[in-house]
Amino acid sequence: MIDRRSLILTSVVAMLPLGASAARRPRQPAPKTFDYGPAKLDIYAPDGATGLPVVFFVHGGTWQFGKRSQVNAKPAFLLANGFCFVSIDYRMLPEADVATQAGDVEKAYAYVRANIAQHGGDPDRIVGMGHSAGCHLIALTGMRGGLPGVAALILDDTRAYDLAALSSNGGMVRAYARVFSDPTQWAALSPASYVDGHKHPPTFIAYSSAVGRGEASKAFAARLRATGTKVTVFDGSAYTHMSINRDFGEDGDALTAAALAFLKSTVS
């Protein structure tokens, strides 16, 4: 659960007269689009910015759907609170398997790290964030060292942290069964496979009321904590799998306040 320090930070953030309020928040900014190789990404940055922390976002969609423009209020909120924001596309199934998608995420991150300073971002203060399938891909690439120098991770609602455990718990059904149909690939595609043996960047893990999300998230958090990694767990059982992503950046949203407190404690 959220520790006492994080709870205090969340409360303070919620009371501050930030530019993120509906009355003051600017309209959704227009991004600049770049081709990083396999696909494109959008960079949202305030005019004249220099040295701002960056949130690098990977969308969900069961590894088969979704696009980088599906960011809801995230860019406007984060820019109003002193961040740059990046949202990426990656190749979808069936064109690309999950291993290839993870490689796309790493290529996009490398492009951003090499170029974000030109847009006002700090390449040494990039936070990886993902929802659903994007959460799995950020966790996988972050844990295996594919996001070198990443400052922190925000993992938003997946069951795919440990695929063998998911199967043994009866969760390898529907989309998971289609996407991860080859058991010989489960270890390589499980973020949990890369946890043990060293400390990882500070990690914020949120879960919704969707089946199995809480159990998988708590188990992954416990494994991370055992390495000495700083972990914050957000109980999002009041959210659906969709609303825990859609509501981020909206006024009064509890997850937004908790995540912002985490961001400010790690990269601001």
Side-chain angles (χ1 to χ4, degrees):
M1 297 298 99
I2 295 176
D3 58 28
R4 184 172 180 272
R5 181 172 180 271
S6 296
L7 182 61
I8 292 169
L9 282 167
T10 299
S11 301
V12 170
V13 167
M15 291 187 291
L16 288 174
L18 295 173
S21 68
R24 299 180 182 180
R25 187 187 309 159
R27 290 186 301 172
Q28 189 79 309
K32 294 181 179 178
T33 301
F34 299 91
D35 189 331
Y36 70 87
K40 294 183 179 180
L41 56 82
D42 288 341
I43 296 177
Y44 300 78
D47 292 337
T50 57
L52 296 181
V54 180
V55 173
F56 172 90
F57 181 71
V58 182
H59 68 77
T62 65
W63 300 271
Q64 302 169 86
F65 311 106
K67 51 188 177 181
R68 66 184 188 278
S69 61
Q70 295 172 328
V71 290
N72 306 105
K74 294 178 187 72
F77 175 82
L78 289 165
L79 266 64
N81 283 286
F83 292 82
C84 295
F85 181 78
V86 178
S87 182
I88 75 163
D89 276 336
Y90 52 97
R91 289 170 289 179
M92 300 279 98
L93 289 166
E95 175 193 357
D97 61 15
V98 177
T100 301
Q101 292 175 349
D104 287 356
V105 171
E106 292 174 353
K107 289 182 177 71
Y109 175 86
Y111 179 93
V112 170
R113 193 149 194 247
N115 292 281
I116 197 62
Q118 302 172 32
H119 305 281
D122 183 346
D124 294 321
R125 292 193 294 162
I126 301 175
V127 175
M129 178 182 181
H131 171 251
S132 193
C135 173
H136 164 261
L137 291 169
I138 278 289
L140 175 61
T141 55
M143 294 300 115
R144 74 184 188 183
L147 309 178
V150 72
L153 301 172
I154 296 180
L155 308 180
D156 187 9
D157 212 35
T158 188
R159 294 184 73 181
Y161 292 117
D162 185 333
L163 297 173
L166 180 65
S167 179
S168 66
N169 293 332
M172 194 60 76
V173 295
R174 297 184 291 277
Y176 290 102
R178 292 192 299 272
V179 173
F180 301 108
S181 59
D182 182 358
T184 66
Q185 295 296 311
W186 288 354
L189 297 177
S190 294
S193 297
Y194 305 93
V195 168
D196 298 339
H198 61 282
K199 191 175 179 180
H200 298 274
T203 302
F204 180 101
I205 301 174
Y207 61 87
S208 73
S209 61
V211 174
R213 297 311 197 280
E215 295 85 346
S217 297
K218 291 172 190 175
F220 188 65
R223 194 159 181 172
L224 272 175
R225 284 194 179 112
T227 69
T229 299
K230 176 186 174 183
V231 180
T232 300
V233 177
F234 179 83
D235 181 348
S237 54
Y239 296 85
T240 66
H241 179 60
M242 300 305 292
S243 69
I244 201 169
N245 174 59
R246 183 189 63 231
D247 293 353
F248 189 97
E250 297 293 344
D251 292 329
D253 178 59
L255 172 61
T256 302
L260 184 59
F262 170 80
L263 286 167
K264 287 182 176 292
S265 71
T266 54
V267 296
S268 292

